[in-house]
DNA sequence: GTAAAAATTTTGAGTATTCAAAATTGTATG
DNA sequence: CATACAATTTTGAATACTCAAAATTTTTAC
């Protein structure tokens, strides 16, 4: 996880998005069009960049087939994600920013921190495993702690769970989660699920029950309490 | 000191160097060649950039005459310097980095912090007036606290002073200052000054006297104690 | 007061990144 | 299978930044 190569912020962002998207598609190959969409550039731009990344040995590229991170690319991607998530936690814990607003800050800072500063932040925070959204923080060596989750869209009814992770970065959505008292750490019970109406009725510990749409519920991941 | 305009890091660096250099030359006009030298680009590059800055209303430019910051340019420059110095102090005080190494970190981070994060850091540090090197931190409004200094190259002999500021960013020089116990805050007496040999004999409070060359002594600024 | 030296600007070109629009390829449909 | 459609790639051009080297202007020195 050294930062010897010195990739540009642009390249780091491509790698990071590539990594996140690969987690989805199970064969690992990502169409360039999808990469373009999530990086926010036109398809042609992504194709060009992918060829550059392939030259640098960061991705494998099959024209008209898709892209996939090489192990070098994955290593760099994990480094960026590690910086991003440590920064987010730092901003929330030490500078008292709201968890809904740290993502965009981290998006810029993740390209500007040295390994040394990151190590100090890691130490200051006590070598944390999860960021404010419950996302796992990759270790310096590249290892990512994995946890088994279920989402509120699929977990058992009438059983106690704890919100462990909210897979969203949109500030408005996160603020809603906060308003609804569904932030990570909260104990919840799903009281009902209406597949036809696509709604879930959730009751946060010692709070009135509330209704969520299925897509929103799917973004709230829970684990068994304890 | 809003960051509405969103200047590029490159432009911010030019403005900052311009500001620092202008402090020297009293007429305020800086030759493009000098700007080039301290930004670290070729003369032609500086000329090109200066024309761009002039278009943006950040500098006045007289071909073959020199450059000078406009008030808009100065406002931006002070913003960058403020960020730089607050970051340096933050890195030393909160993350425990050595004062000799924070300059280069700050050089990158100064372009990545939002106003909001900066405000939090400012608050956390208790709205400090000086950075770890004794350099004044411009206020958000643009005001820069000024102090009268003398340097060890010119101050009175056999009189007690306090080191207030070390005008250098070079890590090796700063480490030497530290080894010699001449960091800001130290009480010192100049015991002798030999203009022919260009040396100054300084005695830090309760330490043996030591010899400095005149150029080094000139970088160590002192004030009356109290 | 001209010739050499120094500083500055201009020119031509390269890298990194991007877009719009045209060309290509692969796929699905009838 | 031929055609239509979608995805992808290519092409041509733009912006931001940079350098090397040529051209120009100013300064200095004799
Ligand atoms: Mn994030
Ligand atoms: Mn980013
Ligand atoms: Mn500094
Ligand atoms: Mn800088």
């Amino acid at each position: 996880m050294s930062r010897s190569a010195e990739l540009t912020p642009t390249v780091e962002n491509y790698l990071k998005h590539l990594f996140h998207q690969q987690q989805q598609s199970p064969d690992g190959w990502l169409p360039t069009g999808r990469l373009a969409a999530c990086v926010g550039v036109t398809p042609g731009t992504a194709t060009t960049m992918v060829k550059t990344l392939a030259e640098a040995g960061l991705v494998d590229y099959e024209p008209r087939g898709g892209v996939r991170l090489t192990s070098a690319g994955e290593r760099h991607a994990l480094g960026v994600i590690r910086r991003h998530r440590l920064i987010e936690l730092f901003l929330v814990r030490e500078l008292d920013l709201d968890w809904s607003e740290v993502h965009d800050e981290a998006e810029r800072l993740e390209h500007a921190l040295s390994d040394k500063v990151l190590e100090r932040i890691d130490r200051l925070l006590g070598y944390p495993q999860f960021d404010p959204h419950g996302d796992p923080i990759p270790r310096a060596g590249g290892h990512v702690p994995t946890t088994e989750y279920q989402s509120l869209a699929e977990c058992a009814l009438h059983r106690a769970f704890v919100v462990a992770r909210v897979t969203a970065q949109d500030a408005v959505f996160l603020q809603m989660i906060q308003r609804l008292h569904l932030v990570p750490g909260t104990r919840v019970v799903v009281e009902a699920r209406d597949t036809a109406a696509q709604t879930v009725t959730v009751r946060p510990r010692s709070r009135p029950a509330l209704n969520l749409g299925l897509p929103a519920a799917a973004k709230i991941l829970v684990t068994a309490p304890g």
Side-chain angles (χ1 to χ4, degrees), chain A residues 84 88 103 106-107 131 133 135 169:
Chain A
H84 181 102
E88 283 187 344
H103 179 80
E107 204 56 54
D131 84 2
H133 313 104
D135 300 323
Q169 313 92 258

Side-chain angles (χ1 to χ4, degrees), chain A residues 84 87-92 96-107 132-133 174:
Chain A
H84 181 102
I87 290 164
E88 283 187 344
L89 188 61
F90 171 80
L91 293 174
V92 167
D96 218 25
L97 297 205
D98 195 83
W99 83 319
S100 69
E101 62 188 344
V102 293
H103 179 80
D104 296 324
E105 288 292 344
E107 204 56 54
H133 313 104
L174 294 176

Side-chain angles (χ1 to χ4, degrees), chain A residues 165-210:
Chain A
R165 185 173 179 183
V166 179
T167 58
Q169 313 92 258
D170 170 44
V172 172
F173 185 82
L174 294 176
Q175 274 155 23
M176 182 207 65
I177 295 294
Q178 200 161 29
R179 193 153 25 80
L180 265 35
H181 301 278
L182 288 173
V183 298
T186 311
R187 287 163 158 273
V188 290
V189 173
V190 173
E191 301 201 323
R193 192 177 286 122
D194 184 334
T195 30
Q198 316 236 76
T199 61
V200 180
T201 307
V202 189
R203 215 164 67 73
R205 186 73 167 165
S206 58
R207 294 259 159 206
L210 40 92

Side-chain angles (χ1 to χ4, degrees), chain A residues 134-151:
Chain A
D135 300 323
I137 299 171
R139 301 274 57 208
H143 172 78
V144 187
T146 59
T147 318
E148 286 301 309
Y149 306 107
Q150 288 179 288
S151 82

Side-chain angles (χ1 to χ4, degrees), chain A residues 9 12-13 16 80 84 106-111:
Chain A
E12 290 192 335
N13 283 333
K16 196 178 57 163
V80 181
H84 181 102
E107 204 56 54
R108 264 172 305 111
L109 286 168
E110 67 192 357
H111 312 293

Side-chain angles (χ1 to χ4, degrees), chain A residues 20-217:
Chain A
H20 286 319
Q21 289 310 117
Q22 273 186 194
Q23 301 292 94
Q24 257 57 48
S25 50
D27 64 331
W29 287 93
L30 191 74
T32 55
R34 254 179 45 111
L35 177 60
C38 73
V39 172
V41 296
T42 59
T45 300
T47 299
T48 308
M49 176 55 85
V50 160
K51 285 196 271 192
T52 307
L53 298 179
E55 295 248 306
L58 297 166
V59 302
D60 294 325
Y61 170 47
E62 292 289 350
R64 312 214 174 238
V67 220
R68 193 174 51 172
L69 288 173
T70 61
S71 60
E74 184 170 311
R75 195 153 29 81
H76 277 105
L78 283 170
V80 181
I81 292 166
R82 170 171 162 76
R83 294 200 288 275
H84 181 102
R85 293 184 176 164
L86 273 173
I87 290 164
E88 283 187 344
L89 188 61
F90 171 80
L91 293 174
V92 167
R93 288 241 290 248
E94 302 299 322
L95 296 187
D96 218 25
L97 297 205
D98 195 83
W99 83 319
S100 69
E101 62 188 344
V102 293
H103 179 80
D104 296 324
E105 288 292 344
E107 204 56 54
R108 264 172 305 111
L109 286 168
E110 67 192 357
H111 312 293
L113 280 239
S114 73
D115 282 349
K116 181 148 205 172
V117 169
L118 199 73
E119 160 54 34
R120 296 304 171 97
I121 286 177
D122 196 18
R123 179 200 300 178
L124 181 69
L125 296 174
Y127 307 106
Q129 292 208 275
F130 301 98
D131 84 2
H133 313 104
D135 300 323
I137 299 171
R139 301 274 57 208
H143 172 78
V144 187
T146 59
T147 318
E148 286 301 309
Y149 306 107
Q150 288 179 288
S151 82
L152 290 185
E154 70 197 5
C155 66
L157 301 183
H158 311 300
R159 275 260 289 286
F161 288 102
V162 179
V163 176
R165 185 173 179 183
V166 179
T167 58
Q169 313 92 258
D170 170 44
V172 172
F173 185 82
L174 294 176
Q175 274 155 23
M176 182 207 65
I177 295 294
Q178 200 161 29
R179 193 153 25 80
L180 265 35
H181 301 278
L182 288 173
V183 298
T186 311
R187 287 163 158 273
V188 290
V189 173
V190 173
E191 301 201 323
R193 192 177 286 122
D194 184 334
T195 30
Q198 316 236 76
T199 61
V200 180
T201 307
V202 189
R203 215 164 67 73
R205 186 73 167 165
S206 58
R207 294 259 159 206
L210 40 92
N211 267 57
L212 289 175
L214 226 44

